[in-house]
């Protein structure tokens, strides 16, 4: 955007915000008369922009910075076509993009005037040293593009990174969040989080592996790309994306971009899937065992509530440091897929006729087992 101040005899100075490269009208009104003389002048350079008298335009000596074909007058209003940076003021900082690929975080913004600055910060504040060497490029339209990159350590996982692009006119911020990885079971639904904003959203963008657009949503419209229409089931008011009928082809990084008038919030989530192509999605014996544990104060036993599909809820009491069987049964089927989970954590998985412990939570390693000889008879107890 370009901010232009203009003076008109009938009223006070006014600021008009115009988009670079677009037409812009500077309004001016006056009390009419029979002998009208109009002069539009660029005060900064004392240059005549447009003149009108004797009932016609007088363009014998237009200002060098303005081309005749780019100026028209409607009444006393001046329309300036294809506005350039030299016309006045600055192009406001618009969208600021931030993304992470590998260990590199990049922040960038384009189409700014005058030359902007870029700064980095973290939340919570940290001792991270920023090598804040921003790359600034000037375009043919005399606007500026700016970008800066950080190399982050794998050992630092709890920091939120923000960058701010600013000029003397305004500033905008972009913030990058990294959500915990999600493990998806093939053929089921999965909801991917998106960091919410307290202000009204102007645009929501979901991407896959940084570049592929899943959907774009504005205040009035939502567009889902053709290749994702089968997987996209819903988008919540806060921006969460619910996918369905997932396969191994959908394993990767999902990026949510929430934009408003002040900032951009970007959230990266890695979705893990197993090789789902060989597993039927219509298996009758699909079992989900959810374990919710609560310690009974003053007692020596731990109460476990078991939720097992195809059976009623069962409460089990187990002694600390001892073995404990969590019962679960199902109607047997040729293809068996078993997942024991607590909240969103995988405790034990079994399919393809063997244990699948790739995504097992560390604290359960070596502590869980199934009665494999009884699985064929519908026993998924652990």
């Amino acid at each position: 955007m370009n901010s232009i101040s203009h003076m008109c005899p009938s009223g006070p100075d006014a600021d008009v915000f115009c988009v670079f490269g677009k037409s812009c009208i500077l309004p001016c009104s006056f009390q009419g008369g029979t002998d009208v003389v109009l002069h539009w002048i660029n005060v900064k350079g004392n240059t005549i922009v447009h003149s009108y008298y004797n009932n016609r335009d007088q363009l014998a000596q237009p200002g060098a910075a303005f081309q005749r074909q780019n100026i028209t007058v409607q009444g006393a209003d001046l329309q300036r076509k294809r506005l350039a940076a030299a016309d006045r003021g600055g192009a406001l900082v618009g969208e600021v993009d931030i993304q992470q690929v590998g260990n590199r975080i990049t922040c960038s913004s384009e189409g700014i005037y005058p030359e902007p600055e870029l700064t980095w910060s973290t939340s919570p504040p940290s001792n991270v040293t920023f090598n804040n060497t921003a790359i600034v490029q000037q375009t043919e339209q005399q606007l500026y593009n700016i970008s800066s990159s950080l190399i982050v350590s794998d050992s630092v996982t709890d920091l939120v990174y923000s960058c701010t692009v600013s000029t003397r006119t305004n500033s905008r911020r972009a913030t990058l969040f990294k959500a915990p990885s999600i493990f998806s079971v093939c053929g089921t639904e999965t909801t991917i989080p998106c960091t919410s904003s307290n202000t009204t959203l102007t645009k929501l963008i979901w991407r896959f592996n940084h570049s592929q657009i899943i959907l774009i949503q504005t205040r009035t419209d939502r567009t889902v790309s053709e290749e994702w229409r089968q997987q996209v089931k819903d988008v919540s008011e806060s921006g969460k994306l619910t996918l369905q009928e997932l396969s191994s082809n959908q394993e990767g990084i999902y990026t949510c971009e929430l934009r408003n008038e002040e900032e951009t919030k970007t959230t990266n989530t890695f979705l893990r899937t197993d090789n789902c192509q060989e597993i039927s999605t219509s298996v009758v014996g699909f079992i989900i065992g959810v374990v919710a544990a609560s310690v009974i104060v003053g007692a020596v036993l731990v109460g476990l509530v078991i939720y097992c599909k195809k059976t009623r809820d069962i409460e089990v009491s187990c002694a600390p440091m001892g073995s404990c069987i969590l019962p679960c049964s199902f109607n047997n089927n040729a293809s068996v897929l078993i997942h024991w989970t607590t909240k969103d954590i995988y405790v034990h998985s079994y399919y393809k006729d063997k244990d699948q412990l790739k995504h097992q939570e560390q604290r359960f390693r070596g502590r869980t087992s199934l009665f494999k000889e009884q699985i064929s008879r519908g026993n998924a107890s652990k």
Side-chain angles (χ1 to χ4, degrees):
M1 301 290 288
N2 188 36
S3 175
I4 300 176
S5 297
H6 70 284
M7 296 179 292
C8 192
S10 61
D13 297 354
D15 284 339
V16 178
F17 289 92
C18 306
V19 179
F20 279 98
K22 303 295 183 180
S23 298
C24 186
I25 295 178
L26 309 184
C28 187
S29 60
F30 62 95
Q31 293 182 354
T34 57
D35 190 10
V36 177
V37 178
L38 299 176
H39 290 291
W40 278 92
I41 300 173
N42 181 354
V43 178
K44 182 177 180 180
N46 195 28
T47 304
I48 295 177
V49 177
H50 197 100
S51 295
Y52 178 94
Y53 51 86
N54 293 336
N55 294 322
R56 64 178 182 177
D57 293 327
Q58 302 290 339
L59 305 177
Q61 295 180 344
F66 301 90
Q67 300 177 3
R68 295 185 189 182
Q69 62 269 30
N70 288 344
I71 297 290
T72 59
V73 172
Q74 302 173 0
D77 297 344
L78 179 75
Q79 183 181 35
R80 176 74 170 96
K81 300 178 182 178
R82 294 191 293 275
L83 201 68
D87 291 343
R88 168 69 172 94
L92 298 180
V93 179
E95 294 183 349
V96 177
D97 296 313
I98 188 170
Q99 63 175 322
Q100 180 174 0
V101 179
N103 288 352
R104 180 182 295 273
I105 301 176
T106 302
C107 175
S108 62
S109 187
E110 299 180 348
I112 308 168
Y113 189 89
E115 185 174 342
E117 295 181 350
L118 190 152
T119 57
W120 289 93
S121 61
T122 65
S123 178
S126 66
N127 294 326
V128 174
T129 302
F130 299 113
N131 183 15
N132 192 21
T133 304
I135 299 175
V136 181
Q137 296 176 327
Q138 191 171 23
T139 68
E140 294 180 357
Q141 294 76 29
Q142 301 179 17
L143 303 179
Y144 291 93
N145 301 335
I146 190 169
S147 65
S148 179
S149 296
L150 297 177
I151 302 298
V152 296
S153 172
D154 289 332
S155 61
V156 180
T157 60
D158 59 344
L159 291 181
V160 175
Y161 292 86
S162 296
C163 69
T164 301
V165 178
S166 58
T167 67
R168 62 172 179 264
T169 306
N170 79 314
S171 64
R172 283 181 64 99
R173 181 176 62 183
T175 302
L176 179 66
F177 301 86
K178 185 176 181 180
S181 298
I182 296 176
F183 176 65
S184 174
V185 178
C186 65
T188 63
E189 295 180 6
T190 297
T191 299
I192 305 176
C194 187
T195 303
S196 61
S197 177
N198 295 326
T199 58
T200 304
L201 301 180
T202 58
K203 182 183 288 187
L204 166 66
I205 304 174
W206 273 98
R207 288 187 172 92
F208 178 64
N209 286 341
H210 304 296
S211 58
Q212 186 178 4
I213 297 292
I214 299 175
L215 66 85
I216 298 176
Q217 179 173 302
T218 63
R219 294 173 179 173
T220 59
D221 187 41
R222 177 192 299 171
T223 302
V224 180
S225 62
E226 180 68 28
E227 56 268 35
W228 284 90
R229 289 180 182 174
Q230 182 177 350
Q231 276 73 41
V232 174
K233 180 178 181 180
D234 185 40
V235 180
S236 70
E237 293 184 1
S238 62
K240 293 180 181 179
L241 176 65
T242 300
L243 300 176
Q244 61 186 0
E245 302 180 19
L246 293 176
S247 70
S248 58
N249 293 330
Q250 282 80 50
E251 177 173 292
I253 298 175
Y254 289 79
T255 301
C256 165
E257 294 181 11
L258 287 174
R259 301 181 183 274
N260 58 36
E261 299 296 341
E262 299 177 353
E263 65 179 337
T264 299
K265 291 187 176 181
T266 300
T267 305
N268 286 337
T269 304
F270 186 76
L271 176 66
R272 298 180 182 274
T273 62
D274 284 319
N275 185 358
C276 302
Q277 297 177 354
E278 299 178 7
I279 303 177
S280 170
T281 59
S282 59
V283 177
V284 176
F286 184 92
I287 301 300
I288 299 178
V290 181
V291 184
S294 59
V295 178
I296 303 176
V297 178
V300 296
L301 299 180
V302 178
L304 300 178
V305 180
I306 313 304
Y307 300 90
C308 183
K309 192 174 181 180
K310 304 295 185 183
T311 66
R312 63 183 179 85
D313 299 350
I314 306 171
E315 185 170 346
V316 179
S317 296
C318 303
M321 306 305 295
S323 298
C324 187
I325 297 176
L326 309 183
C328 186
S329 61
F330 62 98
N331 295 324
N332 188 22
N333 185 274
S335 293
V336 178
L337 176 59
I338 302 173
H339 287 290
W340 280 92
T341 67
T342 170
K343 295 181 180 179
D344 295 327
I345 298 173
Y346 280 80
V347 178
H348 198 104
S349 295
Y350 177 95
Y351 50 88
K352 296 183 180 178
D353 297 325
K354 64 180 180 179
D355 292 327
Q356 303 287 347
L357 306 180
K358 177 181 177 181
H359 303 289
Q360 186 183 46
E361 180 75 8
Q362 179 66 35
R363 68 176 182 269
F364 294 110
R365 298 282 172 87
R367 298 175 56 204
T368 64
S369 63
L370 300 178
F371 297 94
K372 296 185 180 67
E373 70 279 2
Q374 298 183 28
I375 290 177
S376 62
R377 299 196 294 270
N379 185 2
S381 302
K382 179 175 73 70

